[in-house]
Amino acid sequence: MKNVFSKMILFLVAAVFVISSFGIQSASAAGNPFKDVSSSDEEILYLWNRGLINGITKTSFGPEQAVTREQAAVLIGRAVNLGSTPRTTKFSDVDPKRYSSGYIQSAVDKGIITGNSDGTFRPYDTMTRGEMAFLLSRAFNYSKTGNVFFTDIKTDSSSASLYTAVNKIATAGVSNGTGTGTYSPNSKLIRGEFAIFLARALNSNFKVTYKNVAVDNLTVTVNSLNVRTGPSTSYSAVGKLNTGAPFRIYGYNGDWVYGMSGSLTGYVHKAYLAKAVPVAANNRFITLDPGHGGTDPGAVANGLREKDINLDVSKRVEAKLKAKGIKVYMTRSTDVFHTLGARVDKGVASGSNAFVSIHTNAATPAASGSETFYSASVGNDSKQLATFIQNRLYKAMDHPNRGVKNYGFQVIRTNPLPAALVELGFVTNQYDAAKLASGTYKDRAASAIAEGIEDYYNWKAKN
């Protein structure tokens, strides 16, 4: 979808969007001036506090606004220190006096930008996520590829393919897709996503580890089937599988399939596997993650420990989901500690197709109500999952609706699955705490979460 603006509006939007400098600077005034950016949006604040990016106004960043091809070219150009002096370009639709012309032609000279076959650049068109993959992979000279698969991008190992460009940025830790094993290459690129991409490219502290999502479950049909390190018989075998062995599929590469069975991960020829049953289409399988545990009690107040409430409610949700025919994987069923990264890894490895982390909040004694979080870096499914849960939860708990919010908690920000993080209520508020100590209200919360998850799966079945 394209934005239609007058040239004057485009110029004004571009002007406030352009980064002031891409040489790494020390922050002159650390903080967050934006009303539409939370403290967990670390990538945006990283760029802002180093003088690398501006908002659309002094108090708004505009994370949902689209990025034009012109703006992206300028930002990438400044990131890699390309020439900026306005000049004539190879494109008939780029004004040589335009602020972006120098960056655009410098990017052409470096092989970062190629333009369109008709000799145009279409500077005012919205940049897509796919186009951004090409720019990033070329601008930052990414060369490594890995076993990366997205269901909405055809596997094509040629050097100029979209698949290769996306594979490179995923392998480099710049993108983990948009959930459910997708990348959404044709979706418009928005400012919030751009900031995440750019910060990850510039600072390794923000990088994510790419994780494949299961797309099919197959069964081995022969004995002694070799599992290989690559998609041909020229690759070495890492082990063998026999008839009847389950094989969880992460992606297809021609006649070869990449996946896992037991402790073996690698490629097998699809001729020796039974017909696939798509996970997302036929299975409702969710990971529940009771927050904290073991040596980490979480929030403690009014005689309550967060880890205990989280586990109690999660077990109730598990029972209610199973009664609805929804399969459940629990990251913990006892009072044990897992790192945040391990929780994500466990959920992904389980083969589930969604993830909900259950928590209890803490703040000032006056703070009250429930809220549910998602990460915009993952995609719309996460927002839908969070919304379905929150719409039922605050009503069941009979307390304030604090809403659905975009926030960068690690278990949702780095998760390749559609993921939400639920805050049941505040242990620091005497009224919320009384409900969180009550078996009746814990059961009401569990019912609401289970029904919200069921709402999500019903929505998925229709979309």
Side-chain angles (χ1 to χ4, degrees):
M1 186 167 148
K2 299 178 182 177
N3 289 326
V4 181
F5 296 109
S6 69
K7 287 190 175 182
M8 179 59 71
I9 292 176
L10 278 166
F11 178 78
L12 292 173
V13 171
V16 296
F17 182 68
V18 171
I19 300 171
S20 59
S21 171
F22 259 96
I24 300 298
Q25 304 170 6
S26 60
S28 58
N32 178 8
F34 305 123
K35 295 179 180 178
D36 53 0
V37 170
S38 71
S39 60
S40 73
D41 292 316
E42 296 177 350
E43 295 91 346
I44 294 173
L45 298 180
Y46 164 78
L47 298 174
W48 161 257
N49 283 315
R50 284 156 182 76
L52 304 182
I53 199 167
N54 292 327
I56 59 173
T57 70
K58 290 183 179 180
T59 59
S60 296
F61 180 73
E64 300 296 325
Q65 288 197 12
V67 178
T68 67
R69 290 164 58 85
E70 173 186 56
Q71 292 166 349
V74 171
L75 295 164
I76 290 295
R78 295 192 176 201
V80 295
N81 297 314
L82 297 182
S84 61
T85 303
R87 56 181 167 135
T88 300
T89 74
K90 65 172 287 188
F91 303 118
S92 60
D93 57 348
V94 175
D95 184 344
K97 297 180 181 179
R98 184 80 172 162
Y99 79 97
S100 60
S101 61
Y103 290 110
I104 291 172
Q105 186 56 42
S106 294
V108 170
D109 296 340
K110 293 290 185 178
I112 297 171
I113 289 175
T114 58
N116 306 302
S117 59
D118 61 358
T120 64
F121 180 65
R122 301 199 308 271
Y124 308 138
D125 280 8
T126 296
M127 174 68 69
T128 67
R129 288 173 54 87
E131 291 170 334
M132 193 62 187
F134 281 110
L135 287 184
L136 286 169
S137 63
R138 294 167 182 164
F140 290 92
N141 297 312
Y142 295 138
S143 58
K144 293 183 179 180
T145 57
N147 296 312
V148 171
F149 298 94
F150 293 107
T151 57
D152 53 358
I153 300 178
K154 182 179 179 181
T155 302
D156 178 356
S157 58
S158 61
S159 60
S161 72
L162 170 64
Y163 170 77
T164 298
V166 173
N167 189 321
K168 287 178 178 178
I169 67 168
T171 302
V174 172
S175 177
N176 209 2
T178 52
T180 63
T182 59
Y183 178 77
S184 304
N186 298 320
S187 295
K188 68 179 182 180
L189 181 71
I190 59 176
R191 286 168 52 85
E193 289 179 324
F194 177 85
I196 290 171
F197 282 154
L198 186 59
R200 289 173 180 172
L202 292 172
N203 188 330
S204 61
N205 290 331
F206 296 117
K207 291 185 184 298
V208 294
T209 300
Y210 174 78
K211 299 178 179 68
N212 280 301
V213 175
V215 295
D216 289 315
N217 287 320
L218 285 73
T219 303
V220 176
T221 60
V222 297
N223 288 324
S224 300
L225 177 63
N226 285 314
V227 180
R228 299 184 180 277
T229 58
S232 80
T233 56
S234 64
Y235 289 90
S236 61
V238 295
K240 295 179 182 294
L241 297 173
N242 292 318
T243 301
F247 200 78
R248 181 180 300 147
I249 305 305
Y250 296 129
Y252 295 85
N253 189 339
D255 291 332
W256 291 79
V257 176
Y258 180 75
M260 180 176 68
S261 182
S263 62
L264 293 177
T265 300
Y267 290 85
V268 300
H269 198 283
K270 68 180 183 182
Y272 306 114
L273 297 172
K275 185 178 179 180
V277 179
V279 170
N282 293 292
N283 285 343
R284 298 185 299 172
F285 182 12
I286 194 161
T287 290
L288 294 181
D289 173 45
H292 306 279
T295 57
D296 176 13
V300 179
N302 287 309
L304 301 175
R305 297 188 302 182
E306 180 185 356
K307 68 174 183 176
D308 300 329
I309 301 170
N310 298 345
L311 184 57
D312 187 345
V313 173
S314 295
K315 285 183 174 180
R316 294 170 188 254
V317 177
E318 178 188 22
K320 294 176 187 297
L321 288 175
K322 287 182 175 179
K324 296 174 181 290
I326 297 174
K327 188 177 178 181
V328 178
Y329 172 77
M330 298 276 285
T331 60
R332 70 179 181 97
S333 296
T334 59
D335 186 20
V336 295
F337 172 78
H338 296 305
T339 65
L340 298 177
R343 293 168 187 269
V344 175
D345 291 343
K346 284 174 174 289
V348 174
S350 73
S352 62
N353 46 37
F355 184 104
V356 172
S357 191
I358 296 176
H359 288 256
T360 309
N361 228 333
T364 64
S368 173
S370 60
E371 54 194 354
T372 306
F373 298 91
Y374 71 98
S375 175
S377 67
V378 179
N380 184 57
D381 280 15
S382 293
K383 184 176 183 179
Q384 292 294 334
L385 175 60
T387 300
F388 283 124
I389 292 172
Q390 180 62 21
N391 283 348
R392 288 187 178 271
L393 180 60
Y394 80 92
K395 296 173 184 175
M397 295 298 286
D398 190 27
H399 62 196
N401 177 15
R402 296 174 64 88
V404 174
K405 302 174 181 177
N406 170 28
Y407 207 83
F409 292 117
Q410 185 176 338
V411 293
I412 53 177
R413 180 178 60 84
T414 64
N415 207 318
L417 302 173
L421 188 146
V422 179
E423 294 281 7
L424 301 168
F426 288 80
V427 293
T428 46
N429 178 280
Q430 61 175 325
Y431 303 107
D432 283 12
K435 293 176 182 178
L436 294 169
S438 161
T440 298
Y441 271 95
K442 284 189 282 192
D443 204 63
R444 290 178 65 172
S447 293
I449 294 170
E451 289 164 3
I453 290 170
E454 184 178 35
D455 291 341
Y456 166 77
Y457 279 119
N458 290 340
W459 171 80
K460 281 294 292 180
K462 296 176 183 177
N463 291 276

